[in-house]
Amino acid sequence: KIGAAQKTLKFFKSASSFWMEDVQRALNDSLRFLAKLPNNWAENTETKILTSFALARYVTKDLKQALPQFLKLEKQLDKSDQTWIWAQIALQSAKLHQKEALTYFQKAAQPLNNEALQWYARSALRAQNWALLKDIILKMPDDLANQSVWIYWLGRAYDAEQNNVMAQTQYRKIACYFH
């Protein structure tokens, strides 16, 4: 995915060596890139984009350190970049089984990809938040929601609501599968 991002970024600006050095530093040494941001970084579209990429990369490497860095820069980013980075933070937090993941997913407030949706659902499961789990599964694309694992957990969510008819409907859908 990084290679595709680098190719895409070449179209923003002529591929000067200075620009490509910034791209490489943002993607490969995100901490240094963020530490050396000029005071007026938010005035430049390309620098804002690279800052978003650097923050997202930093999140995958060290969520604990990246979060305060993001919070310092958040208000200067476009709303779409803010929600995208919150989604990256939420995904990493969920993969680390942190209880804060649910809060971060709510801040992401954007359509999530299938991987993020599944981790969001797992976070709701971990918290035993059955109502939220049901909402997440019901918002999943059909190809994802129709997987036996999510059919089962939707049934469990209905069970938690004491909605036995809907729960049994879900369980019947997967009763013929060998697990």
Side-chain angles (χ1 to χ4, degrees):
K1 293 182 182 180
I2 299 295
Q6 290 170 326
K7 289 176 187 174
T8 303
L9 287 171
K10 284 183 184 179
F11 292 104
F12 278 103
K13 221 175 194 180
S14 62
S16 69
S17 62
F18 177 73
W19 171 247
M20 290 312 298
E21 286 173 17
D22 282 349
V23 171
Q24 290 297 324
R25 196 168 63 251
L27 297 177
N28 298 327
D29 193 357
S30 52
L31 179 57
R32 186 184 325 159
F33 177 86
L34 294 168
K36 292 188 176 190
L37 280 174
N39 290 337
N40 64 345
W41 68 271
E43 296 171 13
N44 182 294
T45 302
E46 290 87 2
T47 305
K48 283 173 80 170
I49 291 168
L50 288 177
T51 300
S52 294
F53 279 130
L55 284 164
R57 292 286 290 175
Y58 194 20
V59 162
T60 63
K61 293 177 182 178
D62 188 347
L63 178 59
K64 187 177 181 179
Q65 295 296 318
L67 187 55
Q69 184 73 32
F70 168 62
L71 293 174
K72 284 194 291 188
L73 304 174
E74 179 183 18
K75 290 191 180 0
Q76 294 173 285
L77 294 168
D78 297 333
K79 187 68 175 166
S80 61
D81 291 334
Q82 291 174 21
T83 58
W84 178 68
I85 295 167
W86 275 117
Q88 304 308 306
I89 290 168
L91 180 59
Q92 279 305 117
S93 181
K95 287 180 176 181
L96 295 170
H97 300 220
Q98 296 177 340
K99 64 181 181 222
E100 298 86 3
L102 286 177
T103 302
Y104 300 151
F105 275 115
Q106 290 168 350
K107 290 183 180 202
Q110 68 174 10
L112 300 170
N113 65 28
N114 285 358
E115 178 188 18
L117 278 170
Q118 291 179 88
W119 281 103
Y120 190 15
R122 289 179 188 116
S123 295
L125 268 169
R126 224 173 271 107
Q128 296 185 1
N129 187 332
W130 298 106
L132 178 60
L133 176 64
K134 183 182 84 171
D135 289 344
I136 295 166
I137 295 171
L138 291 174
K139 290 178 184 173
M140 287 179 173
D142 289 342
D143 63 322
L144 186 57
N146 289 328
Q147 293 177 8
S148 60
V149 64
W150 300 118
I151 292 170
Y152 171 77
W153 286 115
L154 182 57
R156 289 288 306 271
Y158 283 126
D159 263 343
E161 292 180 338
Q162 312 278 315
N163 189 338
N164 295 332
V165 172
M166 289 300 291
Q168 290 303 314
T169 300
Q170 297 306 310
Y171 297 145
R172 275 190 217 99
K173 289 180 185 178
I174 58 173
C176 61
Y177 295 139
F178 180 73
H179 300 282

